Amino acid sequence: MKCTSCGSDFASDQIKCPYCGTVNEHALHLAKELQTYDTAYEKKRDELLETGTNQVLKHLTIGLGITFLVIVLVFFGYIIFLRYRPYYEVTGRRLEKNKAAIARYLEEEQYIRAYLLASTTDPTGELFTYYPEYKEDLLVIYNYSIIQIGVLQSMDSMDEGDSYASLQDTQLTSISIFYQSAGDSEVARNLKQEVDGYLKNYYRLTDDEIENVKKLQWGDQLILDGSADVEAVTKERMEAYFE
């Protein structure tokens, strides 16, 4: 640019003319704006540095909260799926592939996976008309899944600090039905062992009491420590165990 006083050429970003010293008002204005910007930037940077730790903790807390929410939604989604699951009818080669997959899942002890595949591809649901060769084992798995959901709900309640686990009458009924309906197949034996473990290690029942549960008939009451209030007794045992 040209100096307004002496007419000499010099760079437009120079604040003064290098020949006569006349102030370049345009460059001076830009320099002041840059200085103001730099001051504001430094102030904002210091504020961010001071609050950085709190921001990280805040985002971490939100992240953990979202993770927990996802876990809860998946859990309840699984329960809803079991109750209101859709059916996808299959036939022919696809049906044969499903049968082979179910057989493999049962052999690999992926029992819930076998049950879900069968129940979502058979329009008769738990009747398992499309998979008669696996019907007995699949019914055992279905009854077992009801028990497992009850245990998971009980664990969830304990995690929230609401109460100690207790064996409720509805769960006891499901367990009794499971034992009465389970046959002597390898699948039934494996799942019986798991339910035995729930009753012994989680609800604190003795071996003799577990045998009494297996013998319960419809309308019978289970007596623990001389009481028919199974829920209260198992809750007391859990409290004593954790104390």
Side-chain angles (χ1 to χ4, degrees):
M1 65 174 296
K2 291 185 179 292
C3 176
T4 56
S5 296
C6 67
S8 301
D9 290 327
F10 65 96
S12 60
D13 59 350
Q14 289 183 284
I15 295 177
K16 291 183 179 181
C17 174
Y19 302 101
C20 68
T22 300
V23 176
N24 181 358
E25 295 295 338
H26 178 71
L28 180 63
H29 178 71
L30 289 178
K32 288 180 178 180
E33 286 187 347
L34 287 174
Q35 185 177 8
T36 302
Y37 172 80
D38 289 341
T39 301
Y41 170 79
E42 292 292 336
K43 182 180 179 181
K44 189 62 176 179
R45 186 188 65 180
D46 292 341
E47 290 177 356
L48 291 174
L49 288 175
E50 289 176 3
T51 59
T53 301
N54 292 334
Q55 291 293 330
V56 170
L57 292 176
K58 179 181 178 181
H59 288 300
L60 180 60
T61 301
I62 294 174
L64 291 175
I66 293 174
T67 301
F68 177 75
L69 178 61
V70 170
I71 293 174
V72 171
L73 290 175
V74 169
F75 171 72
F76 284 104
Y78 171 72
I79 297 175
I80 294 172
F81 175 79
L82 287 179
R83 188 171 182 180
Y84 302 106
R85 57 194 174 281
Y87 297 105
Y88 303 99
E89 184 175 351
V90 294
T91 57
R93 292 182 60 186
R94 185 60 187 174
L95 179 60
E96 294 305 316
K97 288 183 178 180
N98 285 352
K99 290 182 178 180
I102 291 171
R104 184 174 70 256
Y105 293 152
L106 293 176
E107 183 178 355
E108 296 173 352
E109 299 184 11
Q110 299 185 52
Y111 299 136
I112 297 299
R113 191 172 183 181
Y115 165 76
L116 288 176
L117 175 58
S119 62
T120 56
T121 55
D122 190 328
T124 64
E126 277 71 45
L127 295 179
F128 300 114
T129 303
Y130 278 31
Y131 306 100
E133 58 269 65
Y134 307 114
K135 179 178 180 179
E136 182 177 347
D137 285 337
L138 292 170
L139 286 174
V140 173
I141 296 169
Y142 169 71
N143 290 328
Y144 165 78
S145 69
I146 296 176
I147 298 172
Q148 191 177 48
I149 289 173
V151 174
L152 290 173
Q153 289 175 328
S154 180
M155 289 181 177
D156 185 58
S157 178
M158 286 186 64
D159 288 340
E160 294 177 357
D162 293 338
S163 63
Y164 287 100
S166 59
L167 181 56
Q168 300 178 3
D169 290 337
T170 53
Q171 291 173 283
L172 185 60
T173 300
S174 298
I175 292 171
S176 177
I177 293 173
F178 166 79
Y179 279 125
Q180 294 296 327
S181 62
D184 195 39
S185 67
E186 182 178 357
V187 172
R189 289 194 297 270
N190 290 340
L191 293 181
K192 284 179 183 178
Q193 289 180 356
E194 287 199 29
V195 176
D196 289 351
Y198 289 148
L199 293 175
K200 183 174 184 179
N201 301 317
Y202 189 64
Y203 294 115
R204 316 310 299 170
L205 268 62
T206 66
D207 291 335
D208 290 340
E209 290 169 343
I210 293 174
E211 290 303 314
N212 289 336
V213 172
K214 294 179 180 179
K215 298 174 184 177
L216 285 178
Q217 299 296 324
W218 181 257
D220 292 346
Q221 286 187 317
L222 178 66
I223 306 299
L224 299 178
D225 298 341
S227 173
D229 192 348
V230 174
E231 184 174 348
V233 173
T234 52
K235 184 175 181 179
E236 289 176 0
R237 291 184 182 182
M238 289 292 289
E239 290 175 346
Y241 175 76
F242 281 103
E243 290 176 359

